[in-house]
Structures are given as structure tokens and as C-alpha cells.
Amino acid sequence: MELSLNLDKIQSDNVSKYAKTILDKQNPYKNFKIENYKYAQLHRDIKSEILQRDIDISELLKVSKNISTFSSNTVDLASNLNQWKYKNDDSFFRVSSLLKRDTSSINLDLIDYKNLFLDISQINNNIHFLKSSKNEINLIIMNTKSKDEYPKSIFFDISNNSNLNVIHFNISNFKSLLYFESNLQDNSHLNFVSFQSDNIHTRNEFYASLNLDCNFDLFGLNINNYGVNDNYSFIQHLKPSSSSREIFKSIVEKGAITNFQGKIYVDSIAQKTDGYQMSRSLLLDDISKANNKPELEIYADDVKCSHGSTVSKLDEDQIYYFKSRGIDSEMAKKILKKAFIAEIIESIKDDNLRDYSNKIIESLLT
Amino acid sequence: MLEIKNLHVSIEEKKIIKGLNLSINKGEVHALMGPNGSGKSTLSYVLSGKDKYEINDGTIEYNEKNLLELDVDDRANEGLFLAFQYPMEIPGVQTSFFLKTAINSKRKYLGQSEMDALEFAKLMKSKAEELNINTEMLKRDLNVNYSGGEKKKQEILQMSMLSPKMAILDETDSGLDIDALRIVSEGVNKLRSKEKSFLVITHYQRLLNYIKPDFVHIIADGRIVKSGDYSLALELEEKGYEEISKSA
Amino acid sequence: MAATEQTIKQINTLGDTDYKYGFSTELDEIRPPKGLNEDIIKFISTQKDEPEWMLDWRLNAFKVFNKLPKPEWAKLNIPEIDYQDCYYYSIPKSLKDKPKSLDEIDPEIIKTYEKLGIPLKEQKMLSGIAVDAVFDSVSVATTYKKQLSDLGIVFCSISEAVKTHPDLVKKYLGSVIPVSDHSFAALNSAVFTDGSFIYIPKGVRCPVELSTYFRINAMNTGQFERTLIIADKDSYVSYLEGCTAPMRDENQLHAANVELVALDNAEIKYSTVQNWYPGDKEGKGGIYNFVTKRGACRGKNSKISWTQVETGSAITWKYPSCILQGDNSKGEFYSVAITNNMQQADTGTKMIHIGKNTSSKIISKGISAGKANNTYRGLVNILSKAKNARNFTQCDSLLIGNKCGAHTVPYIESSNSDSMVEHEATTSKINEDQLFYCQQRGLNSEDAVGLIVNGFCKEVLQHLPMEFAVEAQKLVAISLEGSVG
């Protein structure tokens, strides 16, 4: 697979030149050694005969408003391409998605509803969300049955003193390549939970930029995927006193590959940063693979940053304890798997959405 | 109830139990005492069916069944209970949920229907109160951040709820202060009946002041070297393991 | 609170005169012209009186070197190296005809080693350490030779081993680090000058610490050390290397290859105290330390343990690794890396688990001060057949001031479900409360920092042979002198 993109869309020469450089230098389809795509295997066609499931979202639609038809403005391409402010190479996904698709902007302040639902597999555009109010909003992003060969971008601009909760269901996709970019202004807060299951080939990129006193929580859950499930995150702390917390949990089996690559970057003026990064994988057989690369890049001295990573199977001693109380090993394993992922589901604050998410995940857990 | 004959056990080619014989009848309380490394805990693990232990020789009959042929969970559902010296911490699993799952597993095994939520809650509450356990604690993850005493009480709560036929208490007294020891012992004493048997494994005589055994056995180097009644425990307290083992 | 004004001032006062080993020795040298080509390689080989197979091996490596690009994974700013503007061989004239005994060694060289605190005279050898010293390109002397040879232990320079033990050299040289591994490895294979060769026979526990001291003296000289250690079945050896260089404004290149082979039940303990000249506080001069160190645990139950204290060099690029092939084999990596001023370090390890029940442990402590950048980069790879493999990794970084950087880049790749991999990392600053507490008890700030940083590194330093642990502790304190207020 090779992306074919139309650079003629860009009017400005400078931007066109820049885009060309990124597409050339960072192209994971051409150069398999690009560090940020180290384990993604985008060049490989992953074929699978596995039947993907139908997810019942009717209950979710009852409690939320569908915003896919909401009116939106188109965002200027050239200025969007120009706006790279991350202390990392521009993402190939971001550039190629901007060149392939138009970007629609949605102002969440105009919506008077607490739970918003958006099915991005039904939308061909990139989406740019704006939020500046203090309203409590839960945005549910559904992506299912996608065969999209091209990356798609979702941008979040969260203004001063504002906050947003996002729940991302990335389920039963043949191919899904998503780029998320979150820009958090002073005192803002973003809670992002991403559920990934029953997919064949996925890659998600999570870029976040944090200013003064921000808080960004990112939780990821990968269960029962096939093929390659690849997550990449880059979180930059640019101003003092912000915190980020990142927890990724994966259960890998049946020949699947799960990858987590994440970097926390702390600028030299971003004192009092609190960064935490944890990736845990349960590797249940020897034909599957778990790759982790949690990275810290730190230039300020008064910070508290830590990361951890574990790969193991279920704890035999715990299974023995269950069995000694009469619980058979199949049941014990299921309970332990649920316990392993409980932390991610618990991170959803809204009771209805948490219960709903729990139901979906339980149905996907083998 | 339990009949162990000429048991030989090794772990990673190291012999731990070397020809142990022990017979426990219905309704009896036996105490097994011995110094560290004598094979006490190994015996409790072997009875419950933990793998990694190799049975080199001997037989164990339990309730007219060959115990060694049963899997760990089947033994538990047949009424064999082990109160662990070091109860497992299981993050993410609520204690009450664990208890409920265990009770229903046993009921399923016995061909009974699941216990309904209300009945379970009642049972748990009454048993917890008997053991002076705050029911709030049962909402926490199993044994996670429990103190040593809380963990041991939790084990006894599980025992009383699962109502086993044969209970093995592996150094349940270790790490308990005097109040907790009294509560735990009372819990055990309440369960004593003509139908239930106990094997109380301990290093010290202290616990036996509270749980009076019918028989006392002294184990050394993988064998029972001396058996007697309660007075043997007192003699041991006075003379120490070395002398008793020598005289045996 | 971040680094105080005072701290920054103190960092600035860290002069370029602080490098204690920065003297150079006036000696007449024999040097071929600058440049890297087949003629130079032939010259080196002739000077060393090497057999033809060795020359062929070198020339082949040179061909490979020309084809390989420079490795680029490290987070380092490496200036373009002009391989043609460098001398590849330097030998003090007095050593040309290799001295038969220590008495024949140029007294100037003996003095140099005395200044370094390295006793070469055997009568001074009370500490139970056999020393081989490498001065620029040649091995100067090997002490304790007789005692070791009685046990069947071979401890000599690699040049000597090429002649005296060609079978062992042929069998193992390049077997752990293939010539084509990367360009620095190929370069070393083409032009390596000297280094140590150790063979411990079956069942022998080497009774003394074996040690080599490397010193770069001549200007514009690259040093290409090559060390090969073979521990045969059921043997044990502990080896220590130390490194210093004089202060020079030009950068000097040190590209070493070290190969270790441990057969069944053998254990090799390899310790390094690296204190090459780091350059001045503006970043002028200093050694480029591009080192490839790799050990193969070939036999079952074998063990290789790396301990390193890296305080010197302008640029350190170094990943002592273990290939855990034998069942039940063990790999360990203990590292302290300190960077100050303009120093850059990208160092870590690779643990490749191939055999069953293999285990590895990684403890890394990085300290960064001034404008330095310090990166831990490590790979833990569990192959699918490595049943029951275990790894534990702990990486801690300490930052002193906000002009430096501390980075952690672990790669964790697991394909075996019976295995367990654990990685933990933290980054923090020096604890102000601890500093205050020490100062309140009367320690001055420098001693307090030395004390706290040594505490931070203790887990690693305690793995050094005792004789060197004390020296290393002092070095840790000296490297950070004045960096905290």
C-alpha cells in the first residue's frame, strides 16, 4: 500500500515544500525504519478472515445526541499544515490526512447537550473540535467497520479554563489509521479514554500539548485485536505545573501484535511537571508479541516523571488462589482479565457511559 | 476424613516430605507443630493441590476419594479449605465479588442453583459481624492494602462462608496481635462440629491456647516424629523442638 | 525549586583545569602519516608482525567499513568525523622493541602510570590486581604474568595473542561482534591497535582481578582497543578497565570493541571506570568514546555482568550487551553515567533472551548537570523460545539545573508468554531536603552533593571490585563538583 496524495491542492509554495519534505522524510510506507513507526508495519498488508462483530450502539444513542449532521465550517488547509508546534517531527499521518481530506470544525460550546455522539467512520473529513466553555461534555467518538486506508485527523482545541471528556470506541475495524491532536490552553483539562478491540490493523497517534496548569489523562485499552494494534503518543509539557497521566493496557493473544510507543517531553521552563506513563501487557501465548517503548525526554530539573512497563502472563499464584476457593481456572482467568482492565473503565466519570462501556468491553472479552 | 500414607514430596529435586503418615477423623482437630523448614507449609500446599510439588510416593485419601487425582478447584468444592499463611493480593477484584463467585462455584459443583444477591449479602453481613469485620472493607480489592491481621480475618471469613468439611490453617496465628488472635480463634471454634475436621499448622503453642486440639503432632525433617494429646504442645513449649525431636 | 542562581554560577566556575589526569607525557613517537587507507592498515599489521590471516581479516573489515553508514539511532550531536585527519597508530619510540621486563620500560612511561595511580612495578602489587597497561597504541606491560600462567590463564595483549594463541583468536574474534555490525565496529576491526586478551581455562577461578589501563597520550591519535575474553567451562574471571587521556583541544577518537564469551557455568564480571578527558566547559576537545561491548553467554548457567562508571568523554556512545543463548544464563548491567558541562552520553544495554530460563537485570543511574544531555537507551528482547525468561529494569535519572537534559528510551519486545518483563524509570531532581539536612549537620554543599549522588548510585557502585569502588565514589563526587548550590 502506498499513499497517493494530491499536493496541487496547496496554494502556497512554502507549505507545499514543507508537506513534501514530511511526506518524503517521515513516510513509513517507504522507509520501514522510521523510529516513530518502528513497530507499525504499515507497509504490510495484514489479511485476516476473522469475522468482525456488530456492536449494538442503540443504548448509547439513547443517552446522547448524534452530532454528525451538525453544521460545521471548513478549516483552511494551508494554515492548518503550517501549524506544527510540537517538539517532534511533524506526523506523517497529520500531513497526509490534511492533504487527503477537508477539515470541518465543530464548536462544542454551541451544543446544549451533555453526551455527544459522533460516528467518524461515516464521515470523510478530518474534524476540528473547539471547546472554550466550562460545560461538562462527554464526546463519544465511534469508529467501527472502517476499511479506511488513509489517515484521518481529529483535532481538539481546548481553551483556557475549559475541559472535555472523550471516549473513543475503535472497534471491529479492518483498517483504521487515526491521528488525534489536543492543544490544551492554561488551566484546561482533557480526559481521553480509547477502547480498541476486534480490529485487524490499527494505528492511533495521540499528540498533546500542555500549557500552564493543564491536566491530560489518556487511557488506552487493547483487547482481542488481530493483526497489528499500534499506539503512539507524544505529550509535551511546555509550561509549568501541568500533569499528564497515561495508562495503556493490552491483552494480547492469538498471534496479535500490540505496540505502545509513547514519549513525554518536558521543556526546560516546564518546572513542576508531573508526568506518568504506564504500559502493561498480558501476553497469553507465544505466537503473539508485545512491544513497548515508553520514552522520557526531560529538560527541567524540578519535575516528577516516571514510567513503567510490564509484559507478563496471568499470575499463576493468583489463579491457584482462586482454584483453592473452588473457582475453576477458566472463570479465574476471566475475572483476572477483567481486574486487569478495570482501572481503564473506572476512569470514565459519567455513570451511564461507564456502565455502557463496561458492557461493550465485557462482550468483547474472551 | 483424611488419610495420608507414606507421603514423599520434593520440589525441584529437593526432598521436603519424607514418609509422612497422618490420619484425621471426622470432627477432630489436629495440630501440626514444627520448626521452620520442617515441611509444614509444603504439606498444606500439597493437600490443596498446588503444582510444582512432586509427589514421589504415598497416597492421600480424602472423603473416600483419591485426593491426588483431583484438581485444586475440585478439592475446594469437595470441602477442603486452606487458610493461607500469606493470602494473595488480587488488585481489581472486589472482595465481596470474589466471595460470591467462590460460593456460587461450589453450589454449581454440587448441582445447586446460584445464591441470590440478597441472600448472599445477608450471609456475608452476618459472618462478617461474627468476625468483627467492617463490611466496608469487603468493597475493597481482595487483600490489597489489608493489614496482616485483616488478611487473616478475611481468610477465616472465607472459611466460614464456604463452610468446609476439612480446613487447614497454615500459620494463621503469624502476624496477629492478641486481639486479632482471639477473634480469629473464636471464628474457628464456632465452626467446630462433629462434621468438620481441622488441621492447625503452627510454629508456636500460643494459638493452641485458643483452639484446643484433640491431637498434637510434631513434624521434623519431613516426618511426624511424635504424636500425642494437648499436653505434648505444653511439653514442647517447655523443652523446645530440639530436645523433643531428640527424645523421639 | 529549580537550580538556584548560585548553582548555575558554580557550574560555570567548573573550570577546564579540573581534569586531574590532564597532563601529557613528552615522548618521541613513531607515527605513520595521517589518514585511513589500506597502506596504514598494512603498516599497523607489519609493525605488529602479524600473520597474514590477521591482515586479511583487517583488510576485509576495512572494505565493510567503507560500505556501512554511520549508526544514527543515538540522541547525540556527533560532528562529522574526518577519518582521514587522524593518526591510526602511535607508539613511543622506546617501546618499539617491546621491553622484555618492566625494568626496560621508559621511566617516563612508568612515571605517567604512577601519576595515574597505576602501579606497574610488581613489588608494588600488593592489591592483588594484575595490570596490563595500554599507552596509545601498544600494550606496555603485563604484570603477574608468571603466577597467572601457572594456572593456565592467558593474560596478554591481543597483539601477542594473535601470535601465541592464533587458534583461540581465530575462533572467537568477531564471533560476538560481527565485523559488519555497524561502522564503528568495522573501523575497529580494520585498525585495532591493542587491548587485552584473556583466556581462563576449564574449571579455573582467576584468583586476582585482571585489569587494563588505557591512556591516550599522543595528539590526534585514535585509539582502537580490542579486547577478547574467553571464560571456558566452569571458570570465573573479574576484569577491570580504566581510561584516561590528556587535555587536548582537538577531539580524539576512541572506538573500542570488546567481546566476551562465557561457556557452560562460566562467569565473567567486567567493570569499567571511564574517565577520558571530557573537553572543557565550552565543549572544546575531549574524547569521542564510541564503544561496542558485547558478551555472549553461550553455555548453560553462564553469567556475564557489566558494571560501568562513565564520567568522562565529550561523547559517550556505548551499549554493553548480553546475548543470553545458554539455558539458565544470566546477564547484568549496572551503570552510572554522569554528564556535566557540554558532555553528551547515550548509553545503555541490550539483553537478548534466547535460551530458556534466562534472566537479566538492568540498573542504570544517569546524572546530568551543566548543559549536558544524558540518555539511557536499552533493549530487552525476549524471543518466542525463551521460555520463562525474566527481566527487571530500573532506570533513574537525576537532573541538576534546567539547561541539561535527561532522557530514557527503553525498547521492550516480548514474544514469550511465560516470561516476565518489568521496567521502571523515574526522573527527579536532587532532593533539596536531603541537601539541607546534610548541610545542617555541617557538610558543605559539595560534600553533601557527593554524598547524595553517591547514595543515588550506590546500587551500581557496590558491584565494582572493592579496590575500585572507593576511587569510583571519589570520581562521582569530582565529576559534579560545584554543580549544586
Side-chain angles (χ1 to χ4, degrees):
Chain A
M1 222 289 296
E2 167 76 54
L3 287 176
S4 61
L5 296 161
N6 187 5
L7 280 165
D8 301 338
K9 276 173 77 177
I10 316 172
Q11 304 294 317
S12 147
D13 278 355
N14 279 342
V15 177
S16 164
K17 218 189 249 168
Y18 173 73
K20 260 186 199 148
T21 327
I22 297 297
L23 292 184
D24 198 39
K25 272 194 180 164
Q26 298 295 320
N27 191 334
Y29 296 94
K30 282 186 186 157
N31 182 350
F32 315 142
K33 283 189 172 171
I34 291 175
E35 195 61 32
N36 294 353
Y37 294 87
K38 190 176 167 68
Y39 302 113
Q41 308 199 14
L42 289 173
H43 57 285
R44 263 181 52 185
D45 260 337
I46 294 163
K47 293 227 163 49
S48 176
E49 303 302 315
I50 295 151
L51 271 179
Q52 285 150 280
R53 302 176 199 209
D54 285 311
I55 300 300
D56 178 18
I57 54 168
S58 56
E59 238 178 282
L60 185 58
L61 286 169
K62 268 185 235 159
V63 293
S64 59
K65 184 177 174 69
N66 194 329
I67 55 166
S68 55
T69 53
F70 202 82
S71 68
S72 56
N73 309 313
T74 307
V75 179
D76 174 51
L77 170 69
S79 71
N80 214 335
L81 262 178
N82 246 341
Q83 266 174 4
W84 187 249
K85 289 179 192 138
Y86 285 80
K87 309 280 186 180
N88 198 356
D89 287 323
D90 197 342
S91 159
F92 176 84
F93 270 26
R94 176 180 172 276
V95 173
S96 53
S97 74
L98 288 171
L99 289 174
K100 177 72 187 172
R101 307 167 192 273
D102 287 331
T103 303
S104 306
S105 120
I106 297 178
N107 187 345
L108 293 173
D109 295 335
L110 300 175
I111 301 171
D112 189 21
Y113 213 81
K114 196 183 163 201
N115 295 328
L116 303 168
F117 178 90
L118 179 71
D119 187 350
I120 55 167
S121 51
Q122 302 302 313
I123 298 173
N124 206 18
N125 288 1
N126 299 318
I127 299 162
H128 193 136
F129 288 103
L130 302 160
K131 173 91 162 56
S132 57
S133 68
K134 283 188 178 175
N135 297 349
E136 175 93 8
I137 287 184
N138 299 302
L139 177 66
I140 301 121
I141 296 175
M142 176 66 75
N143 190 40
T144 186
K145 300 280 178 198
S146 157
K147 287 188 178 179
D148 218 333
E149 299 274 347
Y150 295 95
K152 190 182 284 176
S153 290
I154 316 281
F155 300 92
F156 299 98
D157 260 326
I158 304 174
S159 304
N160 289 353
N161 307 312
S162 182
N163 61 306
L164 180 66
N165 301 320
V166 179
I167 303 171
H168 167 222
F169 290 104
N170 204 41
I171 290 170
S172 301
N173 292 299
F174 182 79
K175 195 151 200 166
S176 153
L177 309 172
L178 295 174
Y179 169 82
F180 294 95
E181 181 180 313
S182 312
N183 290 304
L184 281 80
Q185 298 304 320
D186 297 354
N187 288 306
S188 63
H189 180 114
L190 174 64
N191 189 73
F192 198 116
V193 184
S194 177
F195 293 110
Q196 300 166 35
S197 182
D198 200 40
N199 299 304
I200 291 169
H201 199 174
T202 54
R203 173 167 167 106
N204 298 285
E205 296 185 359
F206 303 95
Y207 278 75
S209 178
L210 277 64
N211 285 290
L212 196 71
D213 279 319
C214 293
N215 188 322
F216 177 52
D217 291 338
L218 174 62
F219 298 91
L221 180 62
N222 315 310
I223 51 166
N224 218 0
N225 287 297
Y226 315 95
V228 180
N229 180 248
D230 188 49
N231 287 291
Y232 177 86
S233 80
F234 183 86
I235 296 172
Q236 61 180 20
H237 291 260
L238 297 179
K239 298 270 174 66
S241 308
S242 59
S243 72
S244 64
R245 193 176 158 78
E246 214 177 338
I247 301 176
F248 270 81
K249 295 210 173 174
S250 308
I251 302 177
V252 214
E253 54 195 321
K254 297 173 210 152
I257 297 175
T258 192
N259 304 324
F260 171 75
Q261 242 185 302
K263 191 190 258 188
I264 298 178
Y265 171 94
V266 180
D267 198 87
S268 62
I269 64 160
Q271 299 290 6
K272 303 281 181 202
T273 288
D274 186 348
Y276 177 78
Q277 202 182 24
M278 173 59 78
S279 61
R280 287 192 190 281
S281 306
L282 280 183
L283 182 64
L284 300 183
D285 59 43
D286 296 347
I287 50 170
S288 306
K289 204 167 167 60
N291 298 309
N292 286 294
K293 190 191 168 204
E295 242 184 281
L296 299 174
E297 184 172 345
I298 296 169
Y299 297 95
D301 61 339
D302 190 9
V303 300
K304 206 173 87 193
C305 282
S306 62
H307 67 203
S309 176
T310 61
V311 183
S312 64
K313 59 175 175 176
L314 290 166
D315 187 331
E316 295 284 358
D317 286 340
Q318 291 185 346
I319 294 172
Y320 163 65
Y321 189 79
F322 274 91
K323 287 173 83 177
S324 79
R325 297 294 177 259
I327 301 166
D328 65 36
S329 61
E330 204 180 319
M331 173 75 99
K333 284 177 187 168
K334 190 158 185 185
I335 294 172
L336 286 171
K337 283 185 194 175
K338 271 192 70 179
F340 175 75
I341 64 181
E343 188 181 6
I344 307 295
I345 294 170
E346 292 303 316
S347 68
I348 300 173
K349 288 174 199 123
D350 183 277
D351 292 344
N352 281 335
L353 292 174
R354 188 175 54 243
D355 291 349
Y356 173 74
S357 307
N358 197 22
K359 248 179 240 166
I360 288 198
I361 295 309
E362 209 157 300
S363 74
L364 289 161
L365 203 63
T366 46
Chain B
M1 180 62 74
L2 185 74
E3 183 81 44
I4 304 171
K5 281 185 187 155
N6 189 32
L7 185 67
H8 288 258
V9 179
S10 60
I11 182 163
E12 283 163 6
E13 286 164 34
K14 191 175 177 246
K15 288 179 181 147
I16 311 274
I17 293 179
K18 306 162 183 172
L20 184 137
N21 294 295
L22 181 64
S23 176
I24 299 177
N25 294 317
K26 244 186 203 176
E28 290 175 356
V29 175
H30 289 240
L32 184 66
M33 302 183 71
N36 290 330
S38 57
K40 300 189 302 276
S41 285
T42 299
L43 181 64
S44 71
Y45 287 137
V46 167
L47 288 173
S48 81
K50 190 171 187 175
D51 55 10
K52 287 176 191 155
Y53 292 94
E54 205 178 325
I55 315 294
N56 307 112
D57 201 1
T59 58
I60 306 177
E61 204 184 285
Y62 167 74
N63 230 357
E64 287 155 18
K65 287 194 171 77
N66 180 356
L67 189 73
L68 296 174
E69 278 179 356
L70 297 177
D71 203 355
V72 183
D73 45 328
D74 294 338
R75 294 182 197 197
N77 289 325
E78 287 285 344
L80 186 112
F81 183 93
L82 169 61
F84 287 86
Q85 184 180 3
Y86 304 108
M88 206 68 210
E89 293 185 13
I90 306 185
V93 177
Q94 220 180 38
T95 305
S96 58
F97 173 76
F98 178 80
L99 282 167
K100 196 175 164 191
T101 312
I103 282 190
N104 283 329
S105 293
K106 185 172 181 179
R107 292 175 74 109
K108 197 173 148 198
Y109 183 86
L110 299 174
Q112 297 165 348
S113 63
E114 285 199 2
M115 191 180 269
D116 73 58
L118 196 68
E119 195 186 338
F120 171 78
K122 263 192 197 161
L123 177 72
M124 187 171 75
K125 191 162 177 277
S126 70
K127 295 288 185 191
E129 273 167 7
E130 277 177 19
L131 287 163
N132 215 358
I133 292 173
N134 186 343
T135 44
E136 279 302 304
M137 198 177 91
L138 304 173
K139 289 180 186 163
R140 282 161 41 193
D141 287 356
L142 185 59
N143 290 327
V144 178
N145 298 325
Y146 282 24
S147 71
E150 283 172 337
K151 281 183 186 170
K152 294 292 169 73
K153 277 201 219 168
Q154 213 277 126
E155 290 288 293
I156 302 303
L157 173 67
Q158 288 187 25
M159 182 170 86
S160 90
M161 290 186 72
L162 291 168
S163 187
K165 293 182 188 132
M166 169 86 229
I168 304 150
L169 278 64
D170 187 7
E171 305 216 16
T172 298
D173 51 331
S174 69
L176 289 188
D177 63 34
I178 201 81
D179 290 334
L181 185 65
R182 195 175 41 77
I183 292 165
V184 164
S185 308
E186 277 170 15
V188 174
N189 287 332
K190 266 185 202 146
L191 286 175
R192 282 176 79 157
S193 78
K194 280 181 187 162
E195 299 301 314
K196 295 189 195 316
S197 315
F198 289 85
L199 177 61
V200 181
I201 295 173
T202 182
H203 189 96
Y204 303 104
Q205 183 263 340
R206 189 177 73 146
L207 177 67
L208 306 182
N209 291 335
Y210 295 90
I211 306 172
K212 286 263 160 45
D214 303 314
F215 301 95
V216 174
H217 310 276
I218 292 166
I219 182 171
D221 195 25
R223 271 186 212 104
I224 287 177
V225 293
K226 200 164 189 180
S227 295
D229 58 12
Y230 177 59
S231 63
L232 182 58
L234 298 173
E235 192 189 334
L236 181 71
E237 180 76 357
E238 199 180 300
K239 294 181 179 167
Y241 281 114
E242 209 165 317
E243 206 183 319
I244 291 260
S245 305
K246 245 185 256 163
S247 69
Chain C
M1 171 185 117
T4 57
E5 288 288 312
Q6 195 194 358
T7 310
I8 291 156
K9 256 185 235 154
Q10 282 186 326
I11 292 173
N12 291 339
T13 59
L14 245 189
D16 22 6
T17 50
D18 290 32
Y19 186 69
K20 182 177 144 196
Y21 308 101
F23 56 89
S24 72
T25 307
E26 298 294 327
L27 291 165
D28 284 337
E29 291 154 7
I30 297 175
R31 283 208 294 205
K34 276 183 182 177
L36 179 59
N37 51 53
E38 289 200 354
D39 290 341
I40 292 293
I41 293 167
K42 282 175 189 156
F43 176 86
I44 294 171
S45 194
T46 314
Q47 283 290 312
K48 293 185 164 293
D49 201 13
E50 282 177 357
E52 207 176 322
W53 61 266
M54 196 67 249
L55 176 62
D56 290 346
W57 198 79
R58 286 175 181 274
L59 291 172
N60 173 54
F62 182 59
K63 281 195 191 111
V64 173
F65 167 74
N66 284 329
K67 285 184 197 153
L68 289 174
K70 190 175 84 180
E72 280 186 342
W73 60 79
K75 190 180 168 54
L76 295 171
N77 184 9
I78 305 176
E80 200 54 48
I81 298 164
D82 184 356
Y83 290 107
Q84 300 307 335
D85 191 34
C86 184
Y87 293 105
Y88 287 85
Y89 192 72
S90 163
I91 153 169
K93 258 185 189 150
S94 59
L95 285 179
K96 184 161 184 295
D97 297 310
K98 200 171 173 192
K100 307 264 176 324
S101 79
L102 286 164
D103 296 336
E104 292 176 32
I105 292 176
D106 189 325
E108 283 296 310
I109 292 178
I110 297 274
K111 265 191 216 158
T112 302
Y113 279 99
E114 273 166 9
K115 278 192 224 168
L116 292 167
I118 311 301
L120 276 186
K121 295 269 184 191
E122 287 191 64
Q123 62 266 33
K124 288 186 188 166
M125 296 298 308
L126 299 170
S127 53
I129 298 155
V131 182
D132 185 28
V134 177
F135 197 85
D136 285 336
S137 301
V138 287
S139 177
V140 180
T142 307
T143 57
Y144 261 149
K145 213 159 189 170
K146 167 98 175 54
Q147 290 87 330
L148 295 173
S149 68
D150 287 348
L151 286 166
I153 293 172
V154 184
F155 179 37
C156 62
S157 72
I158 190 105
S159 330
E160 203 180 322
V162 167
K163 283 174 264 181
T164 56
H165 297 84
D167 293 344
L168 283 172
V169 176
K170 270 189 204 166
K171 185 170 175 189
Y172 290 107
L173 192 72
S175 76
V176 188
I177 305 171
V179 167
S180 58
D181 209 64
H182 55 77
S183 69
F184 299 141
L187 176 64
N188 175 285
S189 302
V191 300
F192 73 84
T193 39
D194 227 326
S196 296
F197 174 85
I198 297 170
Y199 172 76
I200 313 289
K202 276 179 201 162
V204 172
R205 239 191 114 78
C206 183
V208 291
E209 303 277 345
L210 300 184
S211 172
T212 301
Y213 221 88
F214 295 96
R215 177 162 176 83
I216 300 176
N217 195 58
M219 280 174 79
N220 284 331
T221 305
Q223 193 183 49
F224 302 94
E225 159 213 353
R226 184 98 199 184
T227 290
L228 175 61
I229 301 178
I230 303 145
D232 213 325
K233 288 178 185 171
D234 304 303
S235 69
Y236 167 85
V237 62
S238 169
Y239 176 82
L240 184 124
E241 62 171 359
C243 326
T244 59
M247 293 177 347
R248 305 255 187 225
D249 286 347
E250 305 84 17
N251 294 108
Q252 285 169 289
L253 181 62
H254 174 250
N257 280 11
V258 173
E259 294 176 286
L260 313 183
V261 179
L263 303 181
D264 287 359
N265 306 311
E267 180 177 347
I268 302 175
K269 192 172 153 60
Y270 193 108
S271 314
T272 305
V273 176
Q274 185 264 108
N275 187 27
W276 297 119
Y277 178 53
D280 69 10
K281 66 177 177 179
E282 308 300 332
K284 200 170 180 197
I287 302 287
Y288 293 164
N289 191 31
F290 302 147
V291 177
T292 308
K293 290 187 166 163
R294 200 175 296 162
C297 283
R298 297 235 166 107
K300 59 177 201 292
N301 304 317
S302 55
K303 180 176 172 184
I304 289 179
S305 176
W306 299 100
T307 305
Q308 61 173 24
V309 177
E310 302 281 321
T311 62
S313 296
I315 303 177
T316 297
W317 178 102
K318 184 181 174 193
Y319 315 92
S321 305
C322 297
I323 301 166
L324 303 167
Q325 286 165 279
D327 290 351
N328 309 320
S329 60
K330 272 196 176 73
E332 292 175 343
F333 175 73
Y334 301 99
S335 168
V336 169
I338 299 177
T339 52
N340 198 354
N341 297 319
M342 299 294 280
Q343 278 177 278
Q344 305 176 66
D346 192 301
T347 182
T349 182
K350 286 196 248 183
M351 293 289 175
I352 316 286
H353 291 256
I354 301 170
K356 294 190 184 91
N357 303 317
T358 47
S359 63
S360 62
K361 186 173 176 185
I362 300 170
I363 307 286
S364 163
K365 307 280 178 182
I367 299 121
S368 202
K371 292 178 182 168
N373 271 299
N374 197 329
T375 303
Y376 166 82
R377 183 182 306 277
L379 167 72
V380 174
N381 189 356
I382 315 269
L383 302 186
S384 66
K385 284 183 181 158
K387 211 171 154 48
N388 237 347
R390 290 282 177 275
N391 162 265
F392 176 76
T393 302
Q394 169 91 46
C395 298
D396 296 316
S397 305
L398 200 63
L399 282 143
I400 303 174
N402 64 350
K403 294 207 164 50
C404 52
H407 320 299
T408 315
V409 191
Y411 297 76
I412 301 145
E413 305 175 1
S414 178
S415 320
N416 182 284
S417 63
D418 285 325
S419 298
M420 178 132 76
V421 187
E422 286 177 273
H423 172 97
E424 285 173 28
T426 62
T427 302
S428 52
K429 63 168 179 168
I430 201 153
N431 188 319
E432 302 274 344
D433 294 338
Q434 288 176 348
L435 262 184
F436 175 72
Y437 183 86
C438 294
Q439 285 172 296
Q440 205 283 323
R441 295 297 133 93
L443 274 76
N444 67 34
S445 68
E446 281 184 2
D447 288 349
V449 169
L451 189 84
I452 292 165
V453 173
N454 265 303
F456 177 75
C457 303
K458 191 178 171 192
E459 247 180 305
V460 172
L461 298 178
Q462 70 190 14
H463 288 278
L464 284 174
M466 196 136 63
E467 297 82 353
F468 295 89
V470 180
E471 196 190 346
Q473 278 172 22
K474 279 186 206 147
L475 199 55
V476 165
I478 289 168
S479 314
L480 286 167
E481 251 169 31
S483 61
V484 169

